[in-house]
Amino acid sequence: MSAPASLRKGWCPGALVPMSAGDGLLVRIRVSGGRLDLDSVATIADCAARFGNGIIEISSRANLQLRGISETGLSGLQRRLDELGLLDADAAAENVRNIVASPLADIDPSAVLDTAPIVAALEARLGDDPSLHRLPAKFGFLIDGGGVLPLGDIEADIRFEALRSKGGPYFAATLAGAGDVAALCAPREVPDVAAALALAFLRGAGAGEDAPRRMRGLVALRGAASIFRAADLGSSTPPASLRRGAERRDFLGVQTFGASYCVGAAPSFGRMTTGDLRLLAQEARRCAAADVRLTPWRAFIVAGLDRGGAESLGAALGRRGFILDPADPRLAVVACSGAPACANAARAVQAEALELARSVPAARGIALHVSGCEKGCAHSWPAPFTLVARKGGYDLVVNGKASDEPAHKALSVEQIASLLAHEHGGDVSW
Ligand code: SF4
């Protein structure tokens, strides 16, 4: 039996419309604002084992993915998610509810404002307005509340950054590929401005086969100012403070935000087991945490702790293998699901990436991208070193993307480890 269109490869999956993968169905749970209570975290961990293969991923849009879900288990999983309030009314609404928001804007005293009410209003607008349901599946929005964890390094088609003025907080709306042009609006206007820009995108992109599928493509064709005009919005040069990114040291490990202690912890390559997530929920409860935040840096932040609880939780998560040290070399490596999870993958890249991480020097960003094929899903941008899996080893691309021409072919893991240990991010000269 052939897979229905909704299960075809390349579909942006959800909980109502999962994606068919090499290890079964992949269900992506879009968590509103990235905030989850502890009971929901524990239930999701149980669901991963009961209905799937027990593998859970945190995505770069701060969502949770459950892997290996069986066709027969899907309806049971959807019922449990519905009970937790994590299921959309229909697939069209789910498909467009792609919003990344500041994870700690409610407790970070330096944040401009709490983004949760704005996220809720934008989600309602996206769900209720059928004209927006034609947006491409990966089209996304971002609400940045500022503070210690700004979202400047996170990609989005339409982004809103909170700023302060004497008259109160306001937002600068910018488009992907054009950070130098912005429309300014009040917080309550964000859903209307987002909808106007999204509709301008749909009208401008058109429906042809070559139509841009993302805002960046339309900006390259038409320019940002013309898209703001088409949305009936004035635009100007934004304040210089836009586009700062968060630092790992600001969210990993034990952190304080005002009177509140938090613990930031990242699973290697964003992937964990049911046991890992269950332990996180159990330990968070033991330490009297308030809730868990998902971040687009593929890390959890457990919030609402006191100092003793935060230290105890940090120790427990570290013992379990979560990354709490911002200098951990695993953070400099990114890898896709690989085999057997993805049918396109030539090798089990996650296990080999973990082995190679020992040879990668700690880096501020990504030093090594290990990809199961030339599609490069885990990292669309150039990296100092990109490995593309082949049956007989890895092809190596230097300062490029997985689809670029390799400098070397069919290298073994041992050869690559030796290369990384000696080159430390410099030119590859052999
Ligand atoms: S890059 Fe990885 S996850 Fe993407 S299609 Fe290739 S093997 Fe699959």
Side-chain angles (χ1 to χ4, degrees):
M1 194 176 75
S2 65
S6 57
L7 297 183
R8 69 186 184 271
K9 290 191 179 83
W11 183 263
C12 195
L16 288 167
V17 186
M19 183 174 80
S20 185
D23 56 352
L25 299 178
L26 186 158
V27 165
R28 180 176 294 159
I29 307 168
R30 289 169 169 79
V31 179
S32 180
R35 299 181 188 179
L36 278 172
D37 61 57
L38 301 184
D39 287 344
S40 296
V41 176
T43 302
I44 290 170
D46 290 342
C47 285
R50 184 170 165 204
F51 302 110
N53 63 10
I55 301 292
I56 304 157
E57 294 166 335
I58 178 167
S59 79
S60 56
R61 284 190 176 177
N63 294 313
L64 284 178
Q65 299 183 163
L66 308 191
R67 301 203 67 105
I69 304 297
S70 65
E71 299 273 358
T72 51
L74 180 61
S75 58
L77 170 61
Q78 289 170 336
R79 266 196 306 279
R80 290 299 288 127
L81 294 177
D82 198 18
E83 286 161 10
L84 296 176
L86 292 170
L87 207 63
D88 287 88
D90 55 61
E94 173 182 79
N95 198 40
V96 291
R97 196 167 59 79
N98 295 316
I99 307 171
V100 176
S102 299
L104 294 178
D106 57 331
I107 57 177
D108 176 0
S110 64
V112 177
L113 79 178
D114 182 11
T115 51
I118 298 157
V119 171
L122 178 54
E123 285 182 330
R125 180 62 183 268
L126 290 168
D128 292 346
D129 188 341
S131 62
L132 296 169
H133 294 176
R134 292 181 292 119
L135 285 169
K138 294 187 176 179
F139 197 94
F141 302 83
L142 182 146
I143 313 284
D144 186 342
V148 175
L149 300 180
L151 301 173
D153 55 337
I154 307 301
E155 180 79 7
D157 294 271
I158 299 174
R159 58 192 311 124
F160 292 86
E161 183 182 345
L163 297 160
R164 288 188 176 86
S165 75
K166 282 183 186 155
Y170 67 101
F171 277 94
T174 54
L175 309 177
D180 55 344
V181 190
L184 307 182
C185 68
R188 66 184 153 70
E189 294 173 320
V190 166
D192 285 343
V193 171
L197 288 168
L199 291 171
F201 167 81
L202 286 169
R203 287 193 302 274
E209 223 166 67
D210 296 334
R213 303 290 295 159
R214 303 296 297 271
M215 185 64 91
R216 183 178 287 277
L218 187 64
V219 165
L221 278 178
R222 302 273 172 87
S226 84
I227 299 169
F228 280 112
R229 272 197 304 277
D232 216 8
L233 295 167
S235 60
S236 56
T237 305
S241 69
L242 293 175
R243 301 307 299 265
R244 286 178 303 116
E247 301 281 344
R248 290 171 185 151
R249 64 169 183 265
D250 291 331
F251 61 87
L252 287 177
V254 174
Q255 304 283 344
T256 51
F257 292 91
S260 176
Y261 280 78
C262 297
V263 175
S268 300
F269 314 130
R271 175 180 272 219
M272 73 216 96
T273 63
T274 286
D276 296 331
L277 190 59
R278 199 178 273 148
L279 176 125
L280 185 143
Q282 283 167 352
E283 289 295 316
R285 187 172 288 122
R286 178 183 67 78
C287 297
D291 57 24
V292 173
R293 314 297 174 92
L294 311 178
T295 77
W297 307 290
R298 307 185 86 186
F300 298 94
I301 299 178
V302 183
L305 295 147
D306 62 21
R307 182 176 175 169
E311 285 170 356
S312 176
L313 177 63
L317 295 179
R319 281 195 298 275
R320 184 74 190 192
F322 283 93
I323 302 167
L324 285 88
D325 177 1
D328 191 305
R330 287 173 290 174
L331 296 168
V333 182
V334 64
C336 73
S337 310
C342 179
N344 291 347
R347 303 175 71 88
V349 297
Q350 293 233 338
E352 289 175 325
L354 206 50
E355 200 179 323
L356 288 167
R358 294 195 200 105
S359 310
V360 173
R364 194 161 173 268
I366 295 300
L368 173 67
H369 172 199
V370 187
S371 185
C373 75
E374 60 280 350
K375 203 170 161 199
C377 297
H379 194 73
S380 324
W381 305 276
F385 297 95
T386 298
L387 297 172
V388 183
R390 306 290 178 205
K391 286 275 182 264
Y394 282 94
D395 290 352
L396 169 65
V397 178
V398 181
N399 293 323
K401 298 184 289 188
S403 55
D404 290 341
E405 188 60 30
H408 300 276
K409 294 190 173 182
L411 298 175
S412 68
V413 171
E414 294 71 30
Q415 283 176 306
I416 299 160
S418 154
L419 165 74
L420 291 171
H422 287 98
E423 292 294 335
H424 281 221
D427 288 339
V428 180
S429 55
W430 51 277

